[in-house]
Amino acid sequence: MGKENKTIGLLYNGGRVDLDLKEPSVGPDVVDLKNFSAQTGLYTFDPSYSSTASCESYITYVDGTAGVLSYRGYPIEQLAQESTYLEVSYLLYHGELPTRDQLDVFRLKVKQNMLLEESVIKLFDTFPENAHPMSMLITSVASLSSIYHHDINVREPEDREAFFFQVLGKVPILAATILNHINKKTVGSYDEKLNYSANILNLFFGGIPNFEVNPVFSKALDVLLILHADHEQNCSTSSVRLAGSSGTNPYAAMAAGIAALWGPLHGGANEAVVRMFNEIKSKDRISHFIEKAKDKNDPFRLMGFGHRVYKNYDPRAAFIRATCHEVLDELGQDNNPMLELALALEEIALHDQYFIDRNLYPNVDFYSGIIYQALGLPKEMFTVMFALARVVGWATHWCEMMANPGLRIGRPRQLYLGPKKRNYIPLDQR
Ligand code: ACO
């Protein structure tokens, strides 16, 4: 006997509509509203998408109540502990873990794309000295659409795959170019002996005599990249999908995602957290800032705290906090004042009734900036590091979406509250 379709009945204006329930592989059922408007003449209202599944996806699963995150079914803790960023990238893109040979081919394809075209390099001469790194990242990624446009057919799997490897290879070089634009240095070089994350550190800080990548730092970076690689339909990924659904150039869609990531409520929080720590300064001032965060008349929020989906400890934050200790131990900074402040702030907030009642826990951005700072990065670069990791998630979601033959342009409706029809009054009669 076939599986019975589950439905949910809805009474409206004296009528009734039966809506199908879609069953996910894990998690709660999803009400199918695709034909709701056609059936009822009504729209649904969910302005910040708290109750809305915007697409079908096979990539990443988040259970916010339990504090669970997995990529293609593999728990994030196992991947962060045992895998590497490139292996995780392969997993996200292909859906399965690679064999050694498959990983070698994958690594080679990424490496072959680790170069920048002359016109993109020249673009950096036009940025003001104090340009924000995220502004430079948005602009330079968007500028790649001026080079890769005429030859890309977004409906062709080979073209999508070519884009995937291009973007994975180019964004680390762009990040290094941005950092060196700030530091007025030249970008270090790619070293065949180093893995992906060690190479990023080499591109950032190499190019000086006797520079060697510290393996504790490259491991920490790799863990950060894995933890940030994807997070289902967050603000930036949804921006990539929405922009991409029009069939636009994929670099333009990536730029939309990077733009969304920059905001302090999303990826920009990692920079905002360190600014907040600098403002708080010392443990004795924490309670003042906790009170400000609770005060509804004060716009201040505890940055790096709270999450739309996690109503439990963000599993990424726990891992990043442990990595933070490892990096600071390696630097001989086990009493690092910023980490001490962060730990004390977390402790106080987690025992405060306001934060308990609202299930507000540290998120992925709470501790990451302390690591980036210890690695030698200025705080304005932190969100670029987030983007560098998330590129694989955005590109995989874009590929998944574009491969769907049923793809339709994303086009939400609205609850219109403006004026009703009125007649135009000529200028001289007003
Ligand atoms: N500090 C103080 N109060 C908070 C915080 C916070 N960080 N976060 C949420 N709240 C409060 C809200 O004021 C609200 O209180 P109320 O019910 O009394 O009105 C309640 O908790 C629910 O908050 P919402 O704003 O409805 O939560 P939402 O899901 O819309 O926002 C967000 C989630 C944006 C992450 C929010 O928690 C926040 O602003 N955090 C700080 C910024 C941050 O760290 N962003 C990074 C998120 S992770 C990422 O995107 C990579």
Side-chain angles (χ1 to χ4, degrees):
M1 236 175 69
K3 214 159 97 180
E4 216 179 291
N5 271 358
K6 286 201 257 178
T7 58
I8 183 170
L10 185 82
L11 300 176
Y12 73 102
N13 293 346
R16 178 191 161 103
V17 61
D18 287 312
L19 302 163
D20 286 339
L21 290 183
K22 287 170 107 43
E23 217 176 307
S25 50
V26 209
D29 289 350
V30 173
V31 184
D32 186 348
L33 291 174
K34 256 196 328 287
N35 301 317
F36 179 76
S37 199
Q39 284 171 286
T40 64
L42 304 174
Y43 293 108
T44 58
F45 180 63
D46 184 18
S48 46
Y49 312 119
S50 299
S51 306
T52 297
S54 62
C55 62
E56 291 177 348
S57 183
Y58 294 79
I59 304 167
T60 290
Y61 174 69
V62 180
D63 177 344
T65 314
V68 166
L69 167 63
S70 60
Y71 298 158
R72 302 284 189 182
Y74 294 99
I76 193 68
E77 291 82 3
Q78 291 179 20
L79 294 172
Q81 225 144 26
E82 295 175 42
S83 185
T84 62
Y85 178 70
L86 273 196
E87 194 183 24
V88 166
S89 298
Y90 183 104
L91 171 69
L92 285 168
Y93 183 65
H94 289 290
E96 296 297 334
L97 288 168
T99 62
R100 195 171 291 281
D101 286 350
Q102 287 169 331
L103 184 58
D104 285 345
V105 173
F106 189 84
R107 182 181 293 119
L108 184 67
K109 286 189 188 166
V110 174
K111 186 202 132 182
Q112 283 166 343
N113 283 288
M114 290 183 105
L115 45 95
L116 282 187
E117 290 72 7
E118 204 50 41
S119 64
V120 182
I121 297 169
K122 278 196 190 135
L123 189 64
F124 282 82
D125 294 337
T126 66
F127 292 126
E129 265 186 35
N130 63 352
H132 193 283
M134 283 299 281
S135 160
M136 292 193 264
L137 188 66
I138 295 166
T139 313
S140 52
V141 168
S143 81
L144 287 165
S145 65
S146 68
I147 301 162
Y148 299 98
H149 182 62
H150 303 292
D151 298 338
I152 296 187
N153 179 352
V154 295
R155 285 294 182 186
E156 279 298 327
E158 296 78 28
D159 286 13
R160 290 198 296 267
E161 178 151 312
F163 161 74
F164 176 86
F165 284 108
Q166 277 162 13
V167 80
L168 223 63
K170 287 181 191 301
V171 169
I173 308 291
L174 281 175
T177 310
I178 291 167
L179 178 66
N180 288 298
H181 177 82
I182 301 171
N183 290 342
K184 300 185 179 55
K185 270 182 63 214
T186 46
V187 177
S189 53
Y190 183 89
D191 184 339
E192 200 62 56
K193 297 187 292 301
L194 300 175
N195 71 16
Y196 186 80
S197 298
N199 255 311
I200 290 173
L201 293 177
N202 207 43
L203 290 164
F204 282 6
F205 304 114
I208 51 169
N210 304 323
F211 174 81
E212 271 187 37
V213 176
N214 181 321
V216 175
F217 297 170
S218 58
K219 176 64 195 159
L221 179 59
D222 215 53
V223 167
L224 283 173
L225 296 184
I226 291 170
L227 295 174
H228 285 84
D230 193 40
H231 209 240
E232 53 121 303
Q233 310 310 323
N234 56 80
C235 179
S236 53
T237 305
S238 296
S239 302
V240 170
R241 279 190 180 256
L242 189 56
S245 75
S246 72
T248 192
N249 179 288
Y251 283 105
M254 288 295 117
I258 300 168
L261 187 77
W262 190 5
L265 299 187
H266 191 16
N270 56 12
E271 180 185 336
V273 167
V274 167
R275 288 188 189 281
M276 176 184 75
F277 291 151
N278 289 338
E279 199 186 340
I280 298 178
K281 284 195 185 79
S282 57
K283 287 186 199 171
D284 56 317
R285 285 163 50 85
I286 290 177
S287 54
H288 169 66
F289 283 87
I290 292 277
E291 290 315 308
K292 272 168 74 66
K294 289 157 43 172
D295 181 355
K296 296 293 170 205
N297 297 315
D298 189 325
F300 177 80
R301 277 191 166 195
L302 212 53
M303 299 313 286
F305 252 77
H307 198 276
R308 169 61 58 79
V309 181
Y310 290 119
K311 300 303 166 200
N312 202 324
Y313 212 99
D314 181 336
R316 302 166 299 174
F319 227 95
I320 294 175
R321 189 177 55 184
T323 307
C324 202
H325 283 294
E326 285 164 24
V327 169
L328 294 175
D329 281 355
E330 176 69 10
L331 285 167
Q333 296 180 13
D334 37 354
N335 296 323
N336 177 286
M338 195 174 278
L339 178 60
E340 302 238 311
L341 187 66
L343 291 168
L345 181 55
E346 173 183 342
E347 182 69 14
I348 293 171
L350 292 186
H351 288 92
D352 188 292
Q353 206 52 47
Y354 173 96
F355 292 86
I356 295 169
D357 289 346
R358 290 165 181 77
N359 298 311
L360 300 171
Y361 293 87
N363 61 47
V364 68
D365 293 315
F366 193 67
Y367 287 103
S368 60
I370 303 178
I371 303 181
Y372 292 135
Q373 187 152 291
L375 296 182
L377 290 164
K379 53 185 171 315
E380 293 77 13
M381 277 296 291
F382 297 173
T383 314
V384 170
M385 299 308 290
F386 194 148
L388 169 57
R390 186 55 62 83
V391 155
V392 67
W394 293 328
T396 303
H397 278 275
W398 179 81
C399 288
E400 181 182 69
M401 178 181 73
M402 297 314 294
N404 179 356
L407 170 67
R408 296 175 76 208
I409 188 169
R411 204 320 185 171
R413 298 305 306 265
Q414 61 174 357
L415 170 61
Y416 176 69
L417 298 172
K420 294 193 173 132
K421 186 188 170 199
R422 47 187 174 163
N423 290 324
Y424 176 79
I425 303 163
L427 195 55
D428 56 6
Q429 290 173 30
R430 271 177 250 156

